[in-house]
Amino acid sequence: MAKLQGSFTAMITPMTADGSVDYEGFQKNVLFQLEQGIDGLLPLGTTSETPTLDEDEEDKILDIVKTLVGKWNADHNAQVKFIAGAGSNNTRDAVRYVERAKKFGADYALVVTPYYNKPSDEGIFRHFEAVSKVGIPILVYNIQGRTGKNISVPLLQRIADLPNIAGVKEASGSISQMMEVIEKVVSKHPDFAVLSGDDSLTLPLIAAGGDGIISVVTNLCPALMTELAHDCLKGDFGAARKIHYRLQPFFRAAFCDGNPSCIKYAMNVKGLPAGSCRLPLVEPKPEAKEIIKAALQTCNL
């Protein structure tokens, strides 16, 4: 399998007025992404509100992505990637979710560091060892802000030596750590993908040798972020900087009062299927809404 590169959308789950999943709206969002040239789609990540979805809802979402991406790739001779969120702080469940991702034909499974129970480095290694045995490429998701545990570079080096470990979504917020990953992990495993988990770090990470972005703002502006990533990957950093600084106000606004609350509000403003969030998430505060609307206008989105 070729190295994973480009721009990938961490998809929202749109809701209807009664709080149920808006499957028709989700299909529209998938088609919007495909038509805008996105490199891949990630359902059932953090931005999907996965902790509030039941497994029947999750299965329907995966089936929609499998069907629409498969048809798009066949009809357009394309290679849009299907990345399924498959994380849990229960290793047995994580293995089961990775097996489900494989069953639905996902190209990759994204597996987050076990959260809340804060395992030791050895526990984290064994967690990824277990999911790696399923036989589908695994992306490690490192996000200390949500899990309480950073995957250090030495630990990631051990994990990268396991079979089927294809890359990392790096949301540590530390460009220094990301560069060390490139220095010490990619040098040994050239096909190991290093993807940013922060939209605003897409340009500096790729400039340092990274491979792309798993993005939240692409829910609203997939074509622009894909262009930014592709410009960076081909070394046209002048063009990439123009897009980067155009979108900077929206990068900030999209997280000013929580995710996915803010991106959903922005999508509602622009007429894309989003709806509300499920509790415990709520809609952005009034002042945050004004920040988001102002950023949409400033960025000409």
Side-chain angles (χ1 to χ4, degrees), residues 34-287:
L34 296 172
E35 290 162 359
Q36 292 278 306
I38 201 72
D39 293 307
L41 298 176
L42 165 64
L44 305 188
T46 306
T47 306
S48 294
E49 301 175 73
T50 306
T52 73
L53 301 175
D54 63 40
E55 292 198 11
D56 182 60
E57 292 170 329
E58 293 173 358
D59 286 353
K60 289 178 182 176
I61 286 168
L62 290 174
D63 190 55
I64 288 169
V65 176
K66 172 189 176 181
T67 301
L68 294 182
V69 169
K71 185 176 188 306
W72 182 269
N73 284 343
D75 290 350
H76 296 83
N77 193 29
Q79 295 185 330
V80 177
K81 302 303 181 186
F82 171 17
I83 307 168
S88 174
N89 61 343
N90 179 334
T91 301
R92 287 180 295 179
D93 281 346
V95 169
R96 187 163 56 88
Y97 294 151
V98 174
E99 289 171 342
R100 179 179 65 177
K102 184 178 181 181
K103 181 186 77 172
F104 276 97
D107 298 296
Y108 299 84
L110 179 72
V111 179
V112 72
T113 316
Y115 43 86
Y116 186 73
N117 37 19
K118 295 179 70 174
S120 66
D121 283 4
E122 184 62 27
I124 291 171
F125 174 79
R126 293 189 188 184
H127 180 84
F128 282 101
E129 182 180 45
V131 297
S132 74
K133 293 176 180 178
V134 174
I136 180 175
I138 301 294
L139 296 176
V140 176
Y141 184 11
N142 183 30
I143 181 164
Q144 182 177 7
R146 288 187 181 271
T147 66
K149 180 76 175 181
N150 179 50
I151 296 180
S152 67
V153 176
L155 176 56
L156 188 60
Q157 287 178 283
R158 288 187 68 200
I159 294 169
D161 285 338
L162 293 167
N164 301 312
I165 302 296
V168 62
K169 177 184 178 183
E170 249 294 349
S172 63
S174 168
I175 194 70
S176 177
Q177 175 165 315
M178 296 175 197
M179 289 190 293
E180 190 177 356
V181 169
I182 294 165
E183 174 194 358
K184 295 181 178 178
V185 178
V186 180
S187 61
K188 183 177 180 181
H189 302 280
D191 291 334
F192 186 90
V194 182
L195 304 170
S196 176
D198 297 292
D199 284 290
S200 63
L201 295 182
T202 307
L203 188 154
L205 177 61
I206 301 179
D211 297 290
I213 175 71
I214 295 180
S215 169
V216 170
V217 303
T218 46
N219 279 281
L220 184 74
C221 51
L224 272 174
M225 280 298 291
T226 301
E227 184 179 355
L228 188 159
H230 288 189
D231 284 344
C232 288
L233 288 166
K234 65 187 181 186
D236 189 351
F237 289 102
R241 275 193 296 271
K242 290 179 181 178
I243 300 171
H244 173 83
Y245 285 110
R246 171 183 168 183
L247 292 178
Q248 273 287 86
F250 190 56
F251 291 159
R252 294 188 292 267
F255 295 90
C256 69
D257 195 22
N259 178 51
S261 304
C262 292
I263 191 65
K264 277 192 156 186
Y265 178 74
M267 293 173 72
N268 286 326
V269 170
K270 300 304 293 185
L272 292 168
S276 61
C277 295
R278 284 181 175 172
L279 287 172
L281 300 182
V282 295
E283 68 177 9
K285 299 186 291 288
E287 53 268 34

